[in-house]
Amino acid sequence: MRRYDTVVRAARAVVDGREQAVDVGVTDGRVVVVEPLGALEADGALVVLADDEVLVPGLVDTHVHVNEPGRTEWEGFASATRAAAAGGVTTIVDMPLNSVPATTTPDALAVKQRAARHQAFVDVGFWGGAVPENLGTGDLAALHEAGVFGFKCFLLDSGVEEFPPLDADRFGAAMHELAGLDALMIVHAESGDLIADLAHGPAYRPFLDSRPSAAEQRAIALVIDTARATGGRAHVVHLSAAEAVPALRAARADGVRVSVETCPHYLALDAAEVPDGGTDHKCCPPIRDAANRDRLWAALAEGVIDCVVTDHSPSTADLKALDTGDFAVAWGGIASLQLGLAVVWTAARERGHTLAEVVDWMATGPADLVGLADRGRIAVGARADLAVLAPDETFVVDPARLHHKNPVTPYAGRTLAGVVRRTYLAGEAVDLDAAPRGRLISRPRSQQ
């Protein structure tokens, strides 16, 4: 009889793109067998899910701003990874900006890794940054060799001075350099030329009008053209403008190496619902109208949008200008790492989508984006990173009960479906009261 460290018995589990009744055998932190329900004899621990629970793979969130070091009062590795685990996320990839120093050199990466080590409750990887100062210096190649999962750039002002944008020529040069490494470039794609100055005030409509869909369309056209010309790999982050979908669809059909993500707030929120002074809803690009949201859902269902990740971009409450509600000065970012699964599942099931689809968008898709083929799925050989979800249980969002460092969220008071009851990292339940067990991870060696 084969021995297992743990057998997880689930009458409902998302395996191979559908719900199945299975036993999952785990040894040394990995799934070693998936068999029909009741087929395995448990000589070690036996975990039996309740009738209202579903076993899903741990989510992979490839768009998280942890901000430590430098702006740790905004968020930090301990608080962010606690929130991740509480929300069923077992792997995050940290963005290179909003921390100080920005992750644009190997030395800066080492600083970030030292800050994260021994604080992480889930596994943490890192993006590098592509900025004018590190092009052609060897830093991109050195960061790639050090194991970053790819490189982030902005095509307009990033909002922080230590992470300047690339103009069209420098973006082309960076894409050419990264194409030689076969490294992924992820792009904040808005054109600053089409973004208007914003007058002070609490109304949302002027802010929305100041960042039109055309700004995304123009920037995405540049991304597509540059990826086509260089043969490089490009990924558009946080797509909000559905008008850009046809160009992305056509480019992919032509073999251009371009992928795209969207975020929970673009799928769940509607510009018409943003109240005056609701700066907790401010993000860039902005939340658009309900018709645009419907088209994003259609693109997601079609597969033109590859994945859904949070773009967890927190700040202190004062920077959100909650006291004045002034959209012109409020920090643009939404913190949702702990809530992403519930937000998307709540909206998805109302539209007739299955939990298996949500798993594909939020676990398998992001894992595949960064080459983590052994995560984001329940399969033989995969890491036993798992979450136990009660999909029909509801809860009301109380910001004070979230693990995010700052209790600011546009979902406050909303009723969401989907409660994560337990999260497993490498086969062991995550205990937020114990010492953290998350690891720092690098790009798989097969991609180096």
Side-chain angles (χ1 to χ4, degrees):
M1 181 181 70
R2 186 168 186 176
R3 299 182 63 84
Y4 309 102
D5 297 337
T6 304
V7 170
V8 183
R9 183 158 292 159
R12 298 173 64 191
V14 176
V15 179
D16 292 335
R18 61 189 178 92
E19 284 194 20
Q20 303 184 48
V22 298
D23 280 1
V24 179
V26 176
T27 297
D28 294 332
R30 291 194 175 269
V31 175
V32 294
V33 64
V34 180
E35 293 288 345
L37 189 72
L40 300 183
E41 292 190 33
D43 54 335
L46 175 63
V47 176
V48 181
L49 270 61
D51 291 342
D52 67 336
E53 295 176 339
V54 182
L55 186 68
V56 299
L59 304 191
V60 177
D61 195 333
T62 55
H63 197 147
V64 178
H65 294 269
V66 176
N67 305 331
E68 185 177 6
R71 293 188 174 95
T72 310
E73 69 275 15
W74 295 17
E75 190 70 281
F77 284 102
S79 52
T81 56
R82 282 176 180 271
V89 179
T90 50
T91 302
I92 66 170
V93 186
D94 175 58
M95 283 290 163
L97 73 157
N98 298 347
S99 58
V100 181
T103 315
T104 55
T105 67
D107 287 345
L109 174 64
V111 170
K112 181 73 72 78
Q113 291 171 326
R114 285 195 297 272
R117 191 170 285 116
H118 309 307
Q119 290 201 80
F121 285 87
V122 301
D123 288 354
V124 179
F126 302 93
W127 295 105
V131 295
E133 291 78 11
N134 67 0
L135 302 187
T137 65
D139 281 337
L140 297 182
L143 282 164
H144 181 75
E145 180 64 24
V148 298
F149 284 85
F151 296 86
K152 171 76 174 287
C153 75
F154 276 71
L155 300 182
L156 80 170
D157 181 15
S158 72
V160 292
E161 63 181 0
E162 64 273 4
F163 203 93
L166 302 178
D167 60 22
D169 288 341
R170 287 192 174 103
F171 178 62
M175 283 289 290
H176 179 77
E177 189 171 347
L178 295 186
L181 302 171
D182 197 30
L184 179 64
M185 175 74 93
I186 65 174
V187 188
H188 183 125
E190 289 182 283
S191 174
D193 293 342
L194 296 181
I195 293 177
D197 292 335
L198 181 63
H200 291 279
Y204 182 70
R205 174 55 62 177
F207 169 66
L208 175 60
D209 290 344
S210 75
R211 302 184 87 100
S213 294
E216 285 188 79
Q217 290 178 269
R218 177 182 290 183
I220 288 170
L222 173 64
V223 172
I224 291 170
D225 290 346
T226 307
R228 190 191 306 273
T230 62
R233 300 164 57 209
H235 177 76
V236 175
V237 298
H238 51 49
L239 178 71
S240 86
E243 288 87 347
V245 167
L248 289 161
R249 181 191 295 114
R252 291 155 67 110
D254 286 346
V256 178
R257 302 169 78 191
V258 61
S259 54
V260 61
E261 70 189 40
T262 194
C263 304
H265 39 278
Y266 301 128
L267 298 171
L269 302 177
D270 170 9
E273 299 172 349
V274 179
D276 286 350
T279 51
D280 50 1
H281 290 70
K282 182 179 177 181
C283 55
C284 301
I287 295 160
R288 304 193 187 277
D289 61 32
N292 179 87
R293 180 180 61 187
D294 291 343
R295 294 196 296 274
L296 289 178
W297 275 104
L300 187 59
E302 182 188 350
V304 178
I305 296 176
D306 299 89
C307 55
V308 180
V309 290
T310 60
D311 187 13
H312 178 72
S313 186
S315 72
T316 54
D318 62 303
L319 292 177
K320 291 299 284 185
L322 298 174
D323 55 343
T324 65
D326 188 346
F327 277 93
V329 300
W331 175 258
I334 288 178
S336 61
L337 183 56
Q338 186 170 336
L339 297 172
L341 175 57
V343 169
V344 175
W345 168 235
T346 300
R349 72 175 191 167
E350 290 174 354
R351 292 171 177 268
H353 293 291
T354 66
L355 185 57
E357 290 177 285
V358 173
V359 165
D360 185 49
W361 300 329
M362 302 190 75
T364 315
D368 289 347
L369 173 70
V370 293
L372 293 173
D374 64 344
R375 299 174 191 238
R377 67 211 80 210
I378 299 173
V380 174
R383 279 177 53 89
D385 295 343
L386 307 165
V388 176
L389 178 71
D392 298 322
E393 183 178 349
T394 61
F395 66 100
V396 177
V397 177
D398 177 358
R401 295 178 64 86
L402 300 177
H403 291 281
H404 305 158
K405 183 165 285 189
N406 291 282
V408 180
T409 171
Y411 304 109
R414 284 181 175 251
T415 298
L416 300 177
V419 172
V420 175
R421 293 184 176 162
R422 293 182 302 285
T423 300
Y424 293 85
L425 188 68
E428 295 186 24
V430 177
D431 183 351
L432 298 182
D433 294 321
R437 297 186 298 104
R439 303 180 308 151
L440 305 189
I441 61 172
S442 298
R443 188 183 66 260
R445 189 164 298 278
S446 62
Q447 294 189 346
Q448 295 183 15

